[in-house]
Amino acid sequence: MSEVKVNKISPRTNCGTVQLGDSGDTITIPAGVSITNSGTASGFGATGAVSWDTTVKTTTFTATAGEGYFVNTTGGVVTVNLPAGTAGAVVGIKDYAGTFDTNAVTVSPNGSDKIGGVADDATLETEGIAVTFVFVDSTQGWLVTDSGLQTELPTPQFITATGGTITTSGNFKIHTFTGPGTFTVSCAGNSSGSSTVDYMVVAGGGGGGGAKENRGAGGGGAGGWRASSGAASGCYTAGPGPLTSPVSALPVTATGYPITVGAGGSKSCGPPNQASQGGQSVFSSVTSAGGGGGQNSYCNPSFGGSAGSGGSGGGGGAGGTVAAGKGSGNTPPVSPPQGFDGGPTCSPGQTGPGRGGHGGGGAGGLGQDSQGPPSQGAKGGVGVTSCITTSPVGYAGGGGAGSGNPDCGGAGGGAPSPTAPAFGGGRGGGGPGSASPSQREGYDATTNTGGGGGGASGPTPGASNAGGGNGGSGIVVIRYKFQ
């Protein structure tokens, strides 16, 4: 193979033509060789292709046919002057910084040339747009052949937010609110990164009922428990017992979401005072109702009336001559249910002394019934185990009821998982043989678990009435992928 080495090939005459090879020949350009075009190229592929200039333009300039330009209008508007139109000439323009919607680009035709059949300037003012112009003829001039947006090829963006106590678990952030606050989203992310949040919203538990003359009071109902499945932020375990919530995560926007955390309901200090309902907790469109208060003993309207309804219902009291209703759970109703009913209605068959009260309802099950006499107070309804904060924790157990004999009161609902701490409902008070009213009082539920307060145990006849326990305050937890 012959080889010719020269620095320049020129035609024999000025402005002549140089031909490489003959028809049918193959000209090979080996790997590693670069060809720089400083003039006008024609006949190379289809009309409409541009060679992109990666020097970003920030001020007014005149385009060259065959070139595409990245234009940055962060500092102000820019005018692109098109070259004189010749059939097949092509120019491309791309929004470099996504600022065309703030500072537009003016595209100006040369002389009497037209853009889309109009002899006037055109404007590019869509964020992220890329446009290719091809000159066709004197009638239509420059026409758009390609147009696209950067959003058509999105890059992952993740939620950015502040508020509450923030912890991390791998690629996920967890915001825990134990009191009122604001979950402030500054970036809502996108579907390629994250754009939804998982949540757990637990209301305050109801207070425990007060007791009179060796008849136990009802336990407070747990605060309503509402949560998403956890699938959007790590598939953590969340739900009553082995179940998981079927609810999807919530989409968010760049705004502030006020957070309400319900207080625990106040205990009854003994008949005729009535235990109060817990406070509701709120995040976005999700509201959990406070737990109902436990009923005082004696089941008599003059001694405090019926057990309260709410997220979970309060338990019924024992003894007395008037039947009174148990507290209803999931009030107001939502799907899936936010809690369960308290222990059963007391009836004429349970009028004698030594009767124990009924347990408050929990987020995972009904408050239990007391059997007797003589009887220990019934256990509160089972709570819920969630790992939204990474470690398994029990929430929203019903309050245990007070006893009507020397045995201790019923246990709080606690958590259904043996690996989770038995947070939740307070235990019922001791029996009438206890040395002082304070030892017969129901136990307070653990704070920030939404547990119901424990019911008081009945004192011996003639002794001072005993009070129930306070309900536990609620909690709001929000979790999402941040990287």
Side-chain angles (χ1 to χ4, degrees):
M1 180 177 67
S2 300
E3 181 177 8
V4 178
K5 291 186 177 182
V6 295
N7 291 326
K8 181 179 181 181
I9 300 175
S10 300
R12 183 183 297 274
T13 60
N14 289 337
C15 299
T17 300
V18 174
Q19 177 177 310
L20 296 179
D22 295 314
S23 177
D25 291 345
T26 298
I27 306 298
T28 301
I29 300 172
V33 174
S34 298
I35 297 178
T36 301
N37 173 33
S38 298
T40 300
S42 62
F44 289 90
T47 299
V50 296
S51 175
W52 288 93
D53 182 351
T54 56
T55 301
V56 179
K57 302 293 186 180
T58 58
T59 58
T60 296
F61 67 97
T62 299
T64 300
E67 296 286 336
Y69 301 93
F70 296 94
V71 182
N72 184 356
T73 64
T74 300
V77 297
V78 173
T79 296
V80 179
N81 297 309
L82 295 174
T86 58
V90 58
V91 171
I93 300 173
K94 165 65 181 173
D95 184 359
Y96 171 78
T99 54
F100 281 12
D101 58 328
T102 303
N103 294 314
V105 162
T106 298
V107 182
S108 181
N110 180 275
S112 61
D113 287 345
K114 300 176 181 179
I115 299 176
V118 179
D120 202 351
D121 295 345
T123 303
L124 297 177
E125 52 187 18
T126 300
E127 178 184 345
I129 197 169
V131 176
T132 301
F133 298 92
V134 175
F135 191 89
V136 182
D137 53 31
S138 60
T139 301
Q140 291 295 322
W142 297 90
L143 293 177
V144 174
T145 59
D146 294 293
S147 177
L149 296 172
Q150 190 65 41
T151 54
E152 295 171 0
L153 185 64
T155 54
Q157 296 182 20
F158 297 89
I159 293 171
T160 303
T162 58
T165 300
I166 303 174
T167 56
T168 59
S169 176
N171 293 325
F172 307 100
K173 278 192 176 178
I174 303 159
H175 295 242
T176 301
F177 293 85
T178 55
T182 302
F183 179 66
T184 303
V185 179
S186 56
C187 175
N190 62 16
S191 58
S192 298
S194 65
S195 58
T196 60
V197 299
D198 278 308
Y199 62 89
M200 181 182 71
V201 180
V202 183
K212 175 182 174 67
E213 294 187 359
N214 62 9
R215 292 163 175 83
W225 181 88
R226 301 187 66 186
S228 59
S229 68
S233 59
C235 295
Y236 58 85
T237 302
L243 304 178
T244 57
S245 169
V247 180
S248 299
L250 283 177
V252 293
T253 59
T255 189
Y257 294 87
I259 302 294
T260 301
V261 175
S266 298
K267 65 185 179 181
S268 167
C269 295
N273 305 100
Q274 177 66 36
S276 67
Q277 181 178 4
Q280 68 178 17
S281 292
V282 182
F283 163 55
S284 186
S285 60
V286 180
T287 298
S288 294
Q295 186 184 30
N296 294 331
S297 67
Y298 261 68
C299 296
N300 190 318
S302 65
F303 292 147
S306 301
S309 298
S312 287
T321 59
V322 179
K326 64 183 178 182
S328 297
N330 195 31
T331 303
V334 293
S335 181
Q338 59 182 310
F340 289 81
D341 294 351
T345 302
C346 69
S347 65
Q350 294 176 318
T351 59
R355 300 282 182 176
H358 307 287
L366 297 166
Q368 295 187 13
D369 183 11
S370 175
Q371 302 294 326
S375 63
Q376 179 176 324
K379 183 179 179 181
V382 69
V384 172
T385 298
S386 176
C387 295
I388 191 170
T389 57
T390 71
S391 297
V393 176
Y395 298 94
S403 68
N405 60 42
D407 293 334
C408 66
S417 170
T419 62
F423 291 172
R427 181 169 67 83
S434 301
S436 67
S438 63
Q439 292 177 313
R440 301 190 297 268
E441 291 181 349
Y443 287 75
D444 293 342
T446 308
T447 59
N448 298 124
T449 63
S457 289
T460 55
S464 299
N465 295 344
N470 293 311
S473 54
I475 189 170
V476 173
V477 183
I478 302 166
R479 177 176 169 132
Y480 58 88
K481 191 172 185 179
F482 77 98
Q483 66 180 13

